[in-house]
Amino acid sequence: MSATQKLIDGTIPAEYYDVPLRALNHQTRQEICLYLDPNLITGNNWKMMAQMIGMRAIEIETIELRTNMTECVLREAFQRNYTVGQFIELMRKSPMERLDLIEGCANLIANDVRNYRPLQVAEVSSEAAAILTLGELASGEKEYFDAFVSYHPEDNAFIRELINKVEIEFGMKLCIRERDLCMGVSENLATADLMEKRCKRVILVLSQNYMESEELQAILKWQIQFAQALAPAADRMHKIVPLVIDSGITVPKILLPYNVSDYTKAYTREWFWSRLEGSLSAPTNSSGGYEGPAGKLGKADSLRDDNVSAVSSCSSSRSSSSVHLPTQESIHRESRRDESRVSAATGSNQDTLERSSSGCSSLSGPSSVFYVPLPNNSKRKVKYKWDKTSASYTT
């Protein structure tokens, strides 16, 4: 009995388990796609196969935005080292039960198995399999970035200018798909992993080429939703940095809540790059995940952290010679507290008198007294009074 007839009769030849699924040629995979791509009432299509091989919901949603769904699932099965025998077994197993596919593709699969010649390759460790970028391949350590860049390949001129400005002038690090990703890695998985764990922000380069590509627009929507899901509510407006580089573009509705930076307008070009530097350097409120290059805080985050530490140290130990003046908000707050304390102590009839004695005048506006710590553990009394003429506090 031939191998083809065995498949049709329900027997999987032993040699099929020794042949990797990637041995199926393009014609065979295209035939499989014809069976699994359509949406069926029974649901036993590419999506069920993706679930059965262990793909996550977010990965399946990403593939759903593409036009070659089954091909993407087959490639994922390649990455998971599925064999032809396991694939056929999967098609037979409930709830898949696609006997029509097995019967229709039996001859093609048998020919591919017969023509397969194994290659002698070295075993790959789990650590090597986790390598996503060329930088990791060279250093042996995970590589981190200030931003992941989503763009159309034909916008190469702007991408080069972006690299020169951000990486060379600003000293930051960008993740450029065509430059940094290792060849052969799963692009969908790599993008999700980079955005989630390795990149602080996502730069969206919106061009005419980008907006005319239906596939890229679908990926754009997924990237925005994925980035929003990763960041807490306070950080969602800082996680995504949209840039418009061609005129006449209609910004997608999903980006309307964001402040989009327009590179095409002459009057905004002057501060375009400084705005971008500030946006990429702004600190985030995320408690987990990536916070800057090499697993450390980004440039602006580290400067801010140093300043906060210095102020905290000065307040607690009184060892710094600098004096930190109170803000307008704190002065207003202290003034209201003075008023309430005076009113409670003396009664409403003497309220005006006590206001004057405590530094609060009903004619000239509120004033407050603060004790500012000095380096020798003493305190200096500073009185702030509201000046109507200059509309500011004066000492």
Side-chain angles (χ1 to χ4, degrees), residues 9 94 164 195 204 255 327 339 347 367:
D9 292 344
S94 177
N164 289 334
M195 290 175 61
L204 304 176
L255 284 175
T327 62
E339 292 178 17
S367 64

Side-chain angles (χ1 to χ4, degrees), residues 230-298:
L230 292 175
D235 283 344
R236 286 179 184 172
M237 302 305 288
H238 301 283
K239 182 74 175 177
I240 299 171
V241 182
L243 308 178
V244 172
I245 65 169
D246 286 337
S247 57
I249 291 178
T250 301
V251 177
K253 292 182 179 179
I254 194 171
L255 284 175
L256 291 181
Y258 295 87
N259 188 359
V260 179
S261 188
D262 196 333
Y263 183 72
T264 64
K265 297 178 180 178
Y267 67 91
T268 62
R269 183 77 64 86
E270 181 180 352
W271 53 78
F272 176 87
W273 295 111
S274 60
R275 284 186 67 199
L276 179 60
E277 181 184 15
S279 300
L280 297 179
S281 301
T284 62
N285 298 317
S286 301
S287 57
Y290 169 64
E291 295 185 2
K296 300 177 181 179
L297 293 175

Side-chain angles (χ1 to χ4, degrees), residues 359-376:
C360 297
S361 171
S362 60
L363 296 176
S364 60
S367 64
S368 294
V369 175
F370 288 83
Y371 294 93
V372 180
L374 297 176
N376 57 359

